[in-house]
Amino acid sequence: MYDAAPAGTGTPLRTTPDESSTSRTAPARRKPVRSPWNRRNPYPATILTNTVLSGPGSAKEVRHLEISLGDSGITYEPGDGIGITPVNDPALVDLLLERLGAAGDEIIADRKGTYSLRESLATRYEIGCPSKYLAKAVAERTGHEQLTRLIEAGDAQALDTWLRGRDVLDLLNIDPTLTFAPEELLEELSPLAHREYSISSSPTVHAGTVHITMATVRYVADDRERGGVCSTHFADRCAPGDTVNVFITPNKTFRLPDDEAPAIMIGPGTGIAPFCGFLHHRAATGSTGSNWLFFGDQHRDTDYLYADEIDRFVTDGLLDRLDLAFSRDQDHKVYVQDRMRENGADLFAWLEKGAHVYVCGDAATMAGDVDAALHEIVAQHGGVDSDGARDYVDALRAAGRYARDVY
């Protein structure tokens, strides 16, 4: 494997490609065609590849998925997302049927048609994420002190926090004597929603397919194994040749800049996804704009996602700069925002030359930490106070030069 410059060196990494390097001749642009496939009418796409990206011993399970678009006519652009209609865990469906005292073949009718109870619980309703309506109904029927207090307080955020990590069975089990008829329960559940993922491929390079970088969510609560509805469906129950229902979710605020404009991409963990697509696309379309990638995770040996591709982008001269932050490979934790600060003078110089900044990944902490680092860099190297830094960053955002795809 090509060994990129040590993390945090800030050393320019562009080399002159030789004649064997990837061609960067720009193809003709195609006019997008409106697709008949959408949230209400998803396309049954075939899974081509489902492999684990993270290495043995990693604390995470990250998968690379490739899905065929077949003859759907679906088109997308780098930066777009893909909506996926998941299927609920059959083990949880069985537990709910047992809790309801139902066989599963009971026919349930609603305004969209008639379905068996098992099919409804598996494919039509959220059972891994209980609704606030169910929480209210359970509180009214059981008088559960904490849940009742949250409902009466009307604090939606506090209720969301309490519900997080719990499923429908947890709420039913608050009181072993609590009973719901199947029809009553379904009336209190939310429709099963699609899950959205950033696309990690380029339509120019990976024609007819969509690539996804997906972290599998797993945890244990009350002696039961739990997991993300969509991620565990793919990890545990989907193999190449199986079909999944998909549709494109355009993201017009997260688009590549002009071919000549520099791009600064900050994507730790699965946040690397859209930037794989960006880099492949810029290589294929002959973009002359400089590229700078910040990537980080826990350990280089097990969590350097797409390492071969990224190192090849360096070798081929597409990536001008690469800064890596593996937080647990040293005594003190190092994150992408730390690498940004270490290279603050150069990062500000890129901004002054018209660079666009893109951030993808965790909204809870990373995005805020990166935003704070960006403001500090502008203040320090732009010679302005905090108000001036805020105005500068706001101007970047207004000009479409600071875009975030966070979740």
Side-chain angles (χ1 to χ4, degrees), residues 347-355 392 401:
L347 196 153
F348 183 73
W350 276 51
L351 293 177
E352 289 290 276
K353 293 177 181 178
Y392 188 101
R401 290 177 51 203

Side-chain angles (χ1 to χ4, degrees), residues 99 138 167-176 178 224:
R99 180 65 176 78
V138 170
D167 56 32
V168 169
L169 184 62
D170 290 319
L171 265 66
L172 297 183
N173 285 342
I174 280 177
D175 182 347
L178 175 63
R224 276 200 295 123

Side-chain angles (χ1 to χ4, degrees), residues 344-366:
D346 288 344
L347 196 153
F348 183 73
W350 276 51
L351 293 177
E352 289 290 276
K353 293 177 181 178
H356 290 231
V357 180
Y358 300 90
V359 181
C360 183
D362 170 54
T365 55
M366 182 280 297

Side-chain angles (χ1 to χ4, degrees), residues 51-302:
T51 58
V52 177
L53 276 178
S54 42
S58 174
K60 305 177 181 180
E61 179 188 332
V62 179
R63 289 179 173 268
H64 172 77
L65 298 141
E66 298 179 12
I67 297 175
S68 172
L69 297 176
D71 59 358
S72 66
I74 290 175
T75 61
Y76 65 92
E77 296 185 41
D80 284 344
I82 184 169
I84 301 173
T85 306
V87 177
N88 286 314
D89 182 357
L92 179 57
V93 172
D94 287 341
L95 288 172
L96 278 173
L97 291 173
E98 181 181 354
R99 180 65 176 78
L100 293 169
D105 55 1
E106 296 86 350
I107 300 300
I108 307 294
D110 62 22
R111 59 189 177 88
K112 291 189 177 182
T114 57
Y115 307 86
S116 72
L117 178 58
R118 180 179 295 278
E119 181 181 2
S120 294
L121 292 173
T123 65
R124 305 192 64 247
Y125 292 94
E126 292 282 359
I127 61 173
C129 310
S131 72
K132 294 176 183 178
Y133 301 106
L134 178 62
K136 182 178 181 181
V138 170
E140 291 174 346
R141 295 190 183 201
T142 65
H144 185 271
E145 183 178 352
Q146 184 179 14
L147 186 54
T148 300
R149 185 169 63 250
L150 289 170
I151 297 293
E152 291 178 347
D155 189 337
Q157 185 173 355
L159 180 58
D160 283 340
T161 300
W162 189 86
L163 290 173
R164 190 173 301 127
R166 290 180 166 92
D167 56 32
V168 169
L169 184 62
D170 290 319
L171 265 66
L172 297 183
N173 285 342
I174 280 177
D175 182 347
T177 66
L178 175 63
T179 60
F180 275 89
E183 294 84 356
E184 289 180 311
L185 178 64
L186 296 185
E187 286 179 359
E188 305 297 346
L189 303 184
S190 300
L192 183 59
H194 75 276
R195 271 55 172 176
E196 185 176 335
Y197 295 88
S198 301
I199 293 175
S200 54
S201 52
S202 160
T204 300
V205 179
H206 311 99
T209 65
V210 167
H211 297 185
I212 307 168
T213 308
M214 181 182 292
T216 307
V217 177
R218 301 185 192 276
Y219 60 100
V220 176
D222 293 333
D223 297 323
R224 276 200 295 123
E225 293 184 355
R226 322 287 183 98
V229 174
C230 194
S231 64
T232 55
H233 174 60
F234 270 91
D236 300 339
R237 300 182 294 279
C238 287
D242 291 342
T243 60
V244 288
N245 292 328
V246 305
F247 60 94
I248 299 300
T249 56
N251 189 350
K252 296 181 179 180
T253 63
F254 204 78
R255 292 280 189 253
L256 277 166
D258 293 338
D259 287 345
E260 300 78 18
I264 300 171
M265 295 160 276
I266 305 162
T270 56
I272 188 66
F275 305 135
C276 289
F278 276 19
L279 291 167
H280 276 295
H281 203 74
R282 295 202 103 182
T285 56
S287 166
T288 58
S290 301
N291 300 294
W292 187 348
L293 175 65
F294 289 86
F295 173 75
D297 214 310
Q298 293 186 356
H299 299 284
R300 181 173 185 139
D301 287 346
T302 58

